[in-house]
Amino acid sequence: FRVPGKIVARNVEIGSTVSTGDTLARLDPEDQELGTKSAQSQLAAAQSDFDQNKADLERYTDLLKQNFISQAEYDRRLNAFNVAKARLEQARAQLSVTQNQTGYTTLAADHAGVVTALQAEVGQVVAAGQTVVKLARTGEKEVVIAVPENRLAEVSGAREIAVTLWADPDKAYRGKVREISPSADPITRTYAAKISML
C-alpha cells in the first residue's frame, strides 16, 4: 500500500491466480475519507475567502480609478487577493492529494500472476510500502539453481542452458543465465543463478 492503515480485507490466498487490476487487499478507508472531508472543507473556506478578496479588489480598482483611495491601499488589497488565490490553489492541490490517498487504500495487482506469499493478515496494521502480497508473473518463467564454485565459470559463460527437473528428468527446458549472485550462500557455499526460460 502507498498509505499506512489497518487491513480489513484480503481477497487472495497463496496459489491464487489474479489478473491485472484485481483487488488483492483493502485497508480501512475511514481515516483517508476523513482527510478528504477535511480537505474539502478547507477548499470551500479558501474558495469563499478568494471570492471575497476578488470582489474587494474589483471595488478597490474602481475606487482607485476615481482617486478615492491611495495606491498603497489598493496594493494592500491586491496582495490580499494574491494570497487568497495562492491558498485556493494550495487547497485544491491538497484535496487532490487526499483523494488519491483514499484510492490507495485498495491494493490491486499491477500485472497478472500467481500469489506466491502473503506477509500480512486481516486486522494487521501495515506501514506504507510494507510488503503484503508477493506476486509471480505467469508469462515470464524463471528458475534459480545453486551453482558450486568449480562450475561458476562454465555457467556464467554459457549462452544457453538446458534445464531439467528432478520431477520430470525426460523433459529439458531452454533458458539463459540472467543473473549470478556475486557472493556464495553462507550455508551451502553455492552461488544462486537465475535462469530465464526461453
Side-chain angles (χ1 to χ4, degrees):
F1 293 102
R2 294 168 73 172
V3 293
K6 179 180 178 180
I7 297 176
V8 293
R10 192 185 74 212
N11 301 347
V12 294
E13 296 296 332
I14 293 176
S16 297
T17 302
V18 297
S19 301
T20 303
D22 285 356
T23 299
L24 306 176
R26 283 184 301 109
L27 294 177
D28 183 356
E30 187 175 343
D31 288 343
Q32 301 303 328
E33 288 169 357
L34 289 173
T36 298
K37 287 178 184 175
S38 173
Q40 288 169 336
S41 298
Q42 289 174 359
L43 177 59
Q47 182 69 55
S48 177
D49 190 37
F50 172 78
D51 292 343
Q52 179 65 49
N53 278 284
K54 183 179 178 185
D56 286 349
L57 183 63
E58 289 170 359
R59 282 192 297 276
Y60 277 80
T61 301
D62 291 340
L63 293 173
L64 180 65
K65 287 177 185 175
Q66 298 171 23
N67 291 322
F68 289 139
I69 62 166
S70 67
Q71 182 66 42
E73 181 62 25
Y74 173 78
D75 290 343
R76 195 167 65 80
R77 294 298 173 167
L78 178 61
N79 186 45
F81 169 77
N82 289 333
V83 168
K85 183 178 179 183
R87 283 189 184 139
L88 178 61
E89 290 169 2
Q90 179 187 22
R92 283 185 181 142
Q94 185 60 41
L95 177 61
S96 180
V97 167
T98 56
Q99 286 173 331
N100 284 345
Q101 289 178 338
T102 300
Y104 297 152
T105 60
T106 299
L107 182 63
D110 59 350
H111 57 80
V114 176
V115 175
T116 60
L118 298 170
Q119 298 185 338
E121 298 294 329
V122 173
Q124 183 176 339
V125 176
V126 294
Q130 180 178 336
T131 302
V132 175
V133 176
K134 288 190 177 182
L135 189 62
R137 294 180 188 269
T138 52
E140 184 180 309
K141 293 188 175 42
E142 181 178 88
V143 295
V144 178
I145 59 171
V147 180
E149 187 175 3
N150 64 345
R151 308 266 325 256
L152 200 55
E154 178 185 344
V155 171
S156 63
R159 288 180 171 256
E160 196 172 292
I161 299 226
V163 177
T164 57
L165 306 176
W166 287 341
D168 189 7
D170 295 334
K171 187 165 184 179
Y173 301 91
R174 289 179 34 232
K176 70 175 189 172
V177 178
R178 185 175 69 79
E179 176 184 310
I180 296 178
S181 174
S183 60
D185 181 280
I187 298 171
T188 64
R189 303 302 305 153
T190 59
Y191 294 81
K194 293 182 179 179
I195 313 295
S196 295
M197 306 311 290
L198 302 174

